[in-house]
Amino acid sequence: MGAKLTFLHAADLHLGAPFRGLRALSKTWAQRLISALPEAYDRVIDAALSRNVDFVVFAGDIFDNSHPSYGDYRHFFTGVERLREAGIPVYLCTGNHDPYTSWQNDLFALPDNAVMLPASKPGFALYRRGDEPLCLIGGRGFYSQAWPIDEDIASGITRTAALQALQDAEPDAGLAPFAVGILHTGFDLDLQKAPTDPAKLITAGMDYWALGHLHKKLVYPSPANPKAAFSGCIQGRDIKETGERGCFVVTLEEHVPLQLEFVPTASVVWEQIEVDISECSTVSEIPDLIMRALFRANGKAHCEEMCARITLVGSTGLHELLGRPGVLEDLRQHINDSYPEFFCDALLDATRRPLDKGALRAEGLFPSVFLNTARAQRANVADEVAYLQEEFLRKGMPLPASCVKRVDDLAAWAEDVVLDLLQGRDDRS
């Protein structure tokens, strides 16, 4: 049986970060959200302890700003000390939110089980299990909040470089079967934050790159072959950071494909939900549909509580009623009073009045001509995509892939918009 190694990879803890973008918030939920980030961090530590991992990696942005509060420092160091008591080392690098210079203060000294990789140059370490050299560690953090645009943050971080740097102090480092890289980087997706070429990482001789900065799960080159990964943030902070959030548990074993397990850590998950109310005949039926949608989303996100922004969609005779003052707010309050585990920060109306397209076609007037032309255009998806591509290029922008995937839905939506305008119904959301 070959050697085996298990470690936890987390990033973007953002301890001390405020929650942003909520449209309406009760005092109870305001307090709840304040506790969500430290709770998520505690769950990271709990996951490492329950799985008895060999070590833990924090790939930058442990704090949300360069001057964390005493309480945020204390909470982070308490978690690291819990790992020390269990004999679990920690390897970390700094991010653009908490660069290396911000750690040079006398609030705390890192516990002796924690190794911070340098920021001025690549740094290396050797993880041993007992006397056995098991894993080469290499990485680099942010020195200040900005990164030189002409410098590759991954430059000089390879398995070979690790062996050369460690050979004097650790003569048996070459016996370590595994190597792990740690970076806080924009990859090839954020060219302003220490970008690096993914292909270059793959050829550096590392078994796995633990990355931070992108706040979403991303595995490269594929989930079946995870050579580099962003674990995402451990707790969503606003309505843009929807879905489950957490960390990875990585298992390396000789002669066996790398295993990547995602561990949810967010106690409060954010969601943006569309609820089609086309089949509702009365307003009283809407809350039941919304609650079903909330429970479905909650089950998929593996969370205890959820903040949601809900948009009502569909063609419905209730459109006019929903536009009356106070109706949506009363519905929102009813939803929030029904289940304390869910909080709807905004209930939006994107419904439309029903259109009788058959009757419009039968009239033979301009709407009929428009509908027939639209039907002919929608029959050729390639032509629709080409048209969109040309329009985006005129604006100097690339056509988003999401538009290509939803071209038929967008065409149907545009058709309804035009019909509304032709009939003087320009009150659409």
Side-chain angles (χ1 to χ4, degrees), residues 240-251:
K240 295 180 180 178
E241 296 182 346
T242 58
E244 63 179 3
R245 302 283 159 167
C247 58
F248 283 133
V249 172
V250 186
T251 301

Side-chain angles (χ1 to χ4, degrees), residues 284 286-288 291 328-339:
S284 61
I286 296 175
D288 183 55
M291 294 312 302
L328 285 176
E329 180 56 28
D330 287 346
L331 280 171
R332 188 183 79 87
Q333 192 61 52
H334 175 68
I335 295 163
N336 288 338
D337 289 343
S338 298
Y339 290 91

Side-chain angles (χ1 to χ4, degrees), residues 85-165:
E85 291 170 2
I88 299 175
V90 175
Y91 301 94
L92 65 151
C93 71
T94 53
N96 55 296
H97 278 258
D98 59 348
Y100 194 81
T101 52
S102 70
W103 290 77
Q104 308 308 299
N105 58 67
D106 55 4
L107 280 179
F108 291 97
L110 280 169
D112 56 15
N113 65 318
V115 176
M116 177 178 285
L117 297 169
S120 58
K121 61 180 181 179
F124 303 97
L126 176 65
Y127 168 73
R128 292 178 178 274
R129 185 190 291 147
D131 293 329
E132 177 190 6
L134 203 59
C135 187
L136 303 169
I137 308 287
R140 187 176 181 182
F142 270 67
Y143 189 80
S144 61
Q145 291 180 315
W147 188 268
I149 60 173
D150 59 346
E151 187 174 353
D152 184 348
I153 193 171
S155 180
I157 304 173
T158 65
R159 183 188 287 259
T160 299
L163 289 172
Q164 291 174 345

Side-chain angles (χ1 to χ4, degrees), residues 40 52 59 101 103 130 135 163 180-181 216 222 265-266 298 356 360 378 425:
N52 193 29
T101 52
W103 290 77
C135 187
L163 289 172
V180 171
K216 60 182 179 181
S222 71
T265 56
N298 182 258
D356 189 343
L360 291 174
R378 290 175 63 187
R425 306 191 304 189

Side-chain angles (χ1 to χ4, degrees), residues 107-285:
L107 280 179
F108 291 97
L110 280 169
D112 56 15
N113 65 318
V115 176
M116 177 178 285
L117 297 169
S120 58
K121 61 180 181 179
F124 303 97
L126 176 65
Y127 168 73
R128 292 178 178 274
R129 185 190 291 147
D131 293 329
E132 177 190 6
L134 203 59
C135 187
L136 303 169
I137 308 287
R140 187 176 181 182
F142 270 67
Y143 189 80
S144 61
Q145 291 180 315
W147 188 268
I149 60 173
D150 59 346
E151 187 174 353
D152 184 348
I153 193 171
S155 180
I157 304 173
T158 65
R159 183 188 287 259
T160 299
L163 289 172
Q164 291 174 345
L166 295 168
Q167 61 185 357
D168 290 339
E170 310 278 4
D172 59 348
L175 299 177
F178 307 117
V180 171
I182 307 170
L183 290 175
H184 195 81
T185 172
F187 218 37
D188 58 349
L189 300 173
D190 184 351
L191 302 183
Q192 304 303 314
K193 294 294 189 297
T196 192
D197 182 358
K200 180 178 178 180
L201 297 186
I202 302 305
T203 60
M206 299 296 192
D207 295 289
Y208 178 82
W209 286 91
L211 306 177
H213 178 59
L214 299 185
H215 283 201
K216 60 182 179 181
K217 288 184 291 182
L218 178 65
V219 179
Y220 180 88
S222 71
N225 185 28
K227 293 295 186 181
F230 291 88
S231 57
C233 56
I234 62 170
Q235 168 65 60
R237 296 174 299 157
D238 58 42
I239 200 65
K240 295 180 180 178
E241 296 182 346
T242 58
E244 63 179 3
R245 302 283 159 167
C247 58
F248 283 133
V249 172
V250 186
T251 301
L252 296 171
E253 187 172 0
E254 287 184 301
H255 317 302
V256 175
L258 183 149
Q259 299 296 310
L260 204 58
E261 176 195 1
F262 182 76
V263 180
T265 56
S267 56
V268 178
V269 164
W270 302 73
E271 292 290 355
Q272 297 190 60
I273 299 172
E274 287 190 352
V275 179
D276 190 333
I277 63 167
S278 301
E279 301 301 318
C280 292
S281 56
T282 65
V283 172
S284 61
E285 297 173 49

